[in-house]
Amino acid sequence: MALRSRQLSATEHVRNVLDRLAADTCNAVIALDAERALAAAAERDAELARGDWRGPLHGVAVGVKDLIDVVGLPTRAGSDVLADAPPATADAPVVARLREAGALIVAKLHTHEFAYGPTGDVAATGPARNPHDPSRITGGSSSGSAAAVGAGHLPLALGTDTGASVRTPAALCGVVGLKPAFGVLPTDGSFPLSESLDHIGVLAPDVHAASVAWDVLSRADGTGGGIQAPGVNGVRVGLLTDEYWRALDPAITKAVEAAAARLQARGAQLQEVSTPMIDELAATYPVIVGAEAYATHAQWLAERPEDYQPITRERLLPFADQPARAYVDAMRTRRRLTAAFRAAVADLDVLLLPTTRLRATPIGAAEVEVGGIDVAVRPQLLALTLPFNLTGWPAASVPGEVADGGLPAGVQIVGVRLEERGVLRVAGALARD
Amino acid sequence: MALRSRQLSATEHVRNVLDRLAADTCNAVIALDAERALAAAAERDAELARGDWRGPLHGVAVGVKDLIDVVGLPTRAGSDVLADAPPATADAPVVARLREAGALIVAKLHTHEFAYGPTGDVAATGPARNPHDPSRITGGSSSGSAAAVGAGHLPLALGTDTGASVRTPAALCGVVGLKPAFGVLPTDGSFPLSESLDHIGVLAPDVHAASVAWDVLSRADGTGGGIQAPGVNGVRVGLLTDEYWRALDPAITKAVEAAAARLQARGAQLQEVSTPMIDELAATYPVIVGAEAYATHAQWLAERPEDYQPITRERLLPFADQPARAYVDAMRTRRRLTAAFRAAVADLDVLLLPTTRLRATPIGAAEVEVGGIDVAVRPQLLALTLPFNLTGWPAASVPGEVADGGLPAGVQIVGVRLEERGVLRVAGALARD
């Protein structure tokens, strides 16, 4: 808006963003593309001066997770394995769509190594740091995207999400993250982690910005929000009752309860629902992602194991011995239990649940104490998001109300009968008045 | 036609068919469903008497490969493993569609054990025998379907096709076999061999009968043939020039040449095309089918190995040691090379090629001599059909002209830009005048 009304030129906006990114203390930035961004900003300004407006992303600075190709820059995927990667020869289609809409690509952003982890503290360039507490993780794997948006550096960033990787860092950094339905956005030009689970997604400071980005990326005409009912009156919201879905951090539970109360106050119908198949469904995830990731990395693991971060290598190597049967069985179970899950929630429009079981944990901590018990961090940051990579349903994380005023807590909205715009509409209803 | 005009009642037709099947010498029949078929025939006759005609399958006898569920009958899949299988509690959807259209299910038909073989001579009930020479194989795995139709017992049969299993027995028994595009017909209620390759298909004495069945199964309105141009004028027909696609039996090569000449005479445009990726694409087939089939059978192989035919067991067991990586890599290669294959033939409407490299071989022969060289039978009966299970394109086998008057030779038509009805239209143009 400020850009269109020329209160701020694209050039000024990009200069501000570049200055902020250059001074970033979250370790969110892998590379700046200052010269080209400024040149493009000048073009966008010239267009605007002659009345040519490309739409709401005209002149808007965007960051891209360093797992996604941006022409002219290497894609290093957070790994020394790709330290010498040549510059990408083309933009990934999602990047190209943003550029066509007038967006200015300003930076490549930090990623957990090869996107294989939900913490963001394992990468060739060191850990990303949470903008709310630099001693804590950002979540991952879209660590730099969440941190840069959460720090206020950027109004929009692209990420990828294979089990958590847009929604979990969004939750931990206090921003909005959208993972669309599987297959809706092309993943070409993005380094694969697990092709049957990989999604491209967006991170933004608020639901409105995420919606604008979604319209551009999905090539909608941008009127979807206008012609749909704007509220949530009558929307059927499922609350999952199984132990599996419970957060460990009471602040997260309270944030979800507050979100439910808010939706109900705005006319949504809350309905409790049980999904007894969730444990067995979730158990297919590590088998599937392990097999697909190992197949990608097998040759490099054999030829240059020392170029991996040790924890990444140690997580991948056991899959060398995984039999094909385990993978085929897991894919069959996944299909069968996705259908069962769908049937269990079939009459709901969305599900409302925590994004993660924990808030941002200390950098490097594999375990944390919760109520006197040591729990492994990684599973708690994956458990509530990965089911919707297995099912392929659209899901968004939005910042919840944090009663204790502490670190951000994410509230997740998953589309069952609603698609991405509907999910964002429900998310929008959660925004503070 | 004879049924609709009441020259022949459904009851008389079914009695004839049941008599023929009872006297079958091809070992094509697993079980007759005489009582229910006759009761249904009486109902169809009563409907016709009051002017209710369900369409061209009204009162037509159909046989079903014993891999596909027919309510009230066990599905034994040609194996002693399923000797005590309980009666199926529901028809497979494809069977239900035929019944709704008035068809009468008269018999379960012979299948190669678990559909895992293209010969039809490995089954708990012994080998199926070719109606043109009882010492020779039918081809498989839809052995009984092809034999019963080829022997003139039945006007229509259902089969399944994972790499060859409708088209190869159709070719060897001198009938028409159609494998539709992947995913067009539901495979529910059919015992899986390899879920990413399995197709349901039909076998019929001629292209017209196959087209009628296809309209019913695909739930088309049956007018597709009428509104399309009936001929092949201007249709672009690709002839594959790579060594891979060549038949070993000169009679088959001549049949394809005759078919090409006939299409050209009717206005089709012939065009030679090379597909250099075919060897690498085809090499993914055994990896994929092996992994998926082994996952299905692993538990039975461990618990009751003696119930398998030895050759089936020996083919499945090595896949116990197959790593997940090999399967994931094969699936990736398959996707990549399917796209390359598609690009190589993108401007063609159909491909014309042999269905098999050999005609029907002696029962039990794992190798045969061709031009003084021993060649393994199985690969020759799979090589030219399996690529279109990998790509998922529709393909039909029709009997070619056999100059030496000997065993049947199959000519295959594969849809590139054309779908099933277009493939059948081209197939129809090959029919003798």
Side-chain angles (χ1 to χ4, degrees):
Chain A
M1 288 303 115
L3 290 166
R4 189 181 192 185
S5 62
R6 300 212 219 158
Q7 289 162 21
L8 184 71
S9 72
T11 302
E12 289 167 310
H13 168 60
V14 163
R15 281 219 175 97
N16 290 347
V17 168
L18 288 168
D19 286 348
R20 291 193 65 131
L21 291 172
D24 167 60
T25 57
C26 297
N27 195 24
V29 180
I30 298 299
L32 295 180
D33 202 11
E35 201 172 322
R36 287 197 309 161
L38 284 164
E43 288 174 27
R44 296 298 85 74
D45 282 330
E47 285 173 358
L48 210 54
R50 58 178 191 261
D52 294 339
W53 186 64
R54 296 181 182 224
L57 291 187
H58 190 114
V60 173
V62 175
V64 177
K65 184 181 188 178
D66 195 23
L67 201 76
I68 301 172
D69 286 350
V70 170
V71 66
L73 297 175
T75 300
R76 293 205 181 104
S79 183
D80 285 330
V81 174
L82 292 174
D84 301 322
T89 55
D91 283 331
V94 284
V95 172
R97 288 180 189 182
L98 293 178
R99 270 204 228 268
E100 270 175 55
L104 308 166
I105 310 301
V106 293
K108 297 297 289 283
L109 301 172
H110 189 280
T111 173
H112 194 109
E113 187 176 29
F114 286 119
Y116 194 44
T119 51
D121 57 355
V122 177
T125 54
R129 298 182 176 280
N130 195 300
H132 299 268
D133 178 346
S135 74
R136 292 183 182 260
I137 63 171
T138 53
S141 63
S142 304
S143 36
S145 299
V149 172
H153 301 338
L154 271 174
L156 187 64
L158 285 178
T160 66
D161 189 319
T162 301
S165 289
V166 161
R167 290 160 291 159
T168 286
L172 271 49
C173 292
V175 306
V176 172
L178 170 69
K179 175 199 84 66
F182 183 76
V184 175
L185 295 185
T187 54
D188 314 55
S190 171
F191 195 92
L193 174 58
S194 179
E195 62 264 34
S196 79
L197 295 160
D198 290 346
H199 301 64
I200 301 263
V202 296
L203 298 100
D206 52 46
V207 172
H208 176 74
S211 300
V212 166
W214 174 247
D215 280 345
V216 166
L217 288 168
S218 64
R219 310 210 132 162
D221 59 7
T223 60
I227 50 176
Q228 287 182 331
V232 293
N233 196 34
V235 167
R236 291 157 300 178
V237 177
L239 304 172
L240 300 160
T241 56
D242 316 87
E243 181 64 27
Y244 179 93
W245 300 107
R246 221 163 275 176
L248 294 173
D249 181 334
I252 301 176
T253 304
K254 281 185 190 145
V256 174
E257 287 167 358
R262 185 177 292 261
L263 291 178
Q264 190 171 36
R266 296 191 170 185
Q269 295 167 17
L270 305 184
Q271 190 176 316
E272 294 198 334
V273 60
S274 170
T275 60
M277 76 299 291
I278 183 58
D279 293 276
E280 190 183 355
L281 174 62
T284 67
Y285 178 82
V287 179
I288 295 168
V289 72
E292 296 179 0
Y294 181 77
T296 300
H297 290 281
Q299 196 172 344
W300 283 334
L301 284 167
E303 291 173 359
R304 41 197 297 190
E306 73 288 350
D307 286 338
Y308 285 84
Q309 301 297 305
I311 193 170
T312 306
R313 185 174 65 236
E314 284 154 25
R315 286 182 62 208
L316 284 169
L317 279 176
F319 291 99
D321 303 321
Q322 188 184 41
R325 181 196 173 186
Y327 176 77
V328 172
D329 280 346
M331 290 294 271
R332 289 179 185 175
T333 301
R334 172 187 180 184
R335 280 191 291 272
R336 178 170 55 83
L337 296 183
T338 293
F341 194 170
R342 167 71 69 179
V345 300
D347 58 345
L348 297 168
D349 294 309
V350 294
L351 308 176
L352 177 70
L353 66 156
T355 306
T356 56
R357 290 185 183 147
L358 295 175
R359 289 186 285 176
T361 52
I363 286 173
E367 299 191 334
V368 293
E369 199 191 292
V370 177
I373 298 165
D374 284 344
V375 297
V377 167
R378 203 194 304 133
Q380 318 311 328
L381 300 181
L382 276 161
L384 308 186
T385 43
L386 69 85
F388 309 107
N389 297 76
L390 290 166
T391 65
W393 303 343
S397 180
V398 294
E401 283 179 45
V402 182
D404 66 8
L407 292 164
V411 171
Q412 192 177 189
I413 295 145
V414 176
V416 179
R417 297 171 73 98
L418 293 184
E419 298 185 344
E420 292 80 3
R421 277 211 69 83
V423 167
L424 290 168
R425 177 160 53 89
V426 175
L430 291 178
R432 289 182 186 72
D433 300 303
Chain B
M1 287 302 116
L3 290 166
R4 189 181 193 185
S5 61
R6 299 213 219 157
Q7 290 161 19
L8 184 71
S9 72
T11 302
E12 288 167 311
H13 168 61
V14 163
R15 281 219 176 96
N16 290 347
V17 167
L18 288 169
D19 287 348
R20 291 194 66 132
L21 290 171
D24 167 60
T25 56
C26 297
N27 194 24
V29 181
I30 298 298
L32 296 180
D33 202 10
E35 201 171 322
R36 287 199 307 162
L38 285 165
E43 287 174 28
R44 297 297 86 75
D45 282 331
E47 285 172 357
L48 211 54
R50 57 177 190 262
D52 293 340
W53 186 64
R54 295 181 182 224
L57 290 188
H58 190 113
V60 173
V62 176
V64 177
K65 183 181 189 178
D66 195 22
L67 202 77
I68 301 172
D69 286 348
V70 170
V71 66
L73 298 175
T75 300
R76 294 205 181 102
S79 182
D80 284 329
V81 173
L82 292 174
D84 301 322
T89 54
D91 284 330
V94 284
V95 172
R97 289 181 189 182
L98 293 178
R99 269 205 229 268
E100 269 176 56
L104 307 165
I105 310 302
V106 294
K108 297 299 287 286
L109 301 172
H110 189 278
T111 172
H112 195 109
E113 187 176 30
F114 285 118
Y116 194 44
T119 50
D121 58 356
V122 178
T125 55
R129 297 182 176 280
N130 194 300
H132 299 268
D133 177 346
S135 73
R136 291 182 182 261
I137 63 170
T138 53
S141 63
S142 305
S143 35
S145 299
V149 172
H153 301 337
L154 271 175
L156 187 63
L158 285 177
T160 66
D161 189 319
T162 301
S165 289
V166 161
R167 291 160 291 159
T168 287
L172 271 49
C173 292
V175 306
V176 172
L178 170 70
K179 176 199 84 67
F182 183 76
V184 176
L185 295 185
T187 55
D188 314 54
S190 172
F191 195 93
L193 174 58
S194 179
E195 63 264 34
S196 79
L197 295 160
D198 290 345
H199 300 64
I200 301 263
V202 296
L203 298 100
D206 53 46
V207 172
H208 177 73
S211 299
V212 165
W214 174 247
D215 280 346
V216 166
L217 287 169
S218 64
R219 310 210 134 161
D221 59 8
T223 61
I227 50 175
Q228 287 184 330
V232 293
N233 196 34
V235 167
R236 290 155 302 178
V237 177
L239 303 172
L240 300 160
T241 56
D242 316 87
E243 180 65 27
Y244 179 93
W245 300 108
R246 220 162 277 177
L248 296 173
D249 181 335
I252 301 176
T253 303
K254 282 184 191 147
V256 173
E257 288 167 358
R262 185 178 293 261
L263 291 178
Q264 190 171 37
R266 296 190 170 187
Q269 296 168 17
L270 305 183
Q271 190 176 316
E272 294 198 335
V273 60
S274 169
T275 59
M277 77 299 293
I278 184 57
D279 293 277
E280 190 184 354
L281 175 61
T284 67
Y285 177 81
V287 178
I288 294 167
V289 73
E292 296 180 359
Y294 180 78
T296 299
H297 289 281
Q299 195 171 346
W300 283 334
L301 284 166
E303 291 173 359
R304 41 197 298 189
E306 72 288 349
D307 287 337
Y308 286 84
Q309 302 297 305
I311 193 171
T312 306
R313 185 174 64 234
E314 285 155 23
R315 286 182 61 207
L316 284 168
L317 280 175
F319 291 100
D321 303 322
Q322 188 184 41
R325 182 196 173 186
Y327 176 78
V328 172
D329 280 347
M331 290 294 272
R332 289 179 185 175
T333 302
R334 173 187 179 182
R335 280 190 290 273
R336 180 172 54 83
L337 296 182
T338 292
F341 194 170
R342 167 72 69 180
V345 299
D347 58 344
L348 297 167
D349 294 308
V350 294
L351 308 175
L352 177 70
L353 66 154
T355 306
T356 57
R357 290 184 183 148
L358 295 175
R359 289 185 286 176
T361 52
I363 286 173
E367 297 191 335
V368 293
E369 200 191 291
V370 177
I373 298 165
D374 284 343
V375 298
V377 167
R378 203 193 306 133
Q380 316 312 327
L381 300 181
L382 276 161
L384 307 186
T385 44
L386 69 83
F388 309 106
N389 297 76
L390 290 166
T391 65
W393 303 343
S397 179
V398 294
E401 283 179 46
V402 182
D404 65 9
L407 291 164
V411 170
Q412 192 176 190
I413 296 145
V414 176
V416 179
R417 296 172 73 98
L418 292 185
E419 298 186 344
E420 292 82 0
R421 279 211 66 83
V423 167
L424 289 167
R425 177 159 54 89
V426 175
L430 291 178
R432 287 182 184 74
D433 300 305

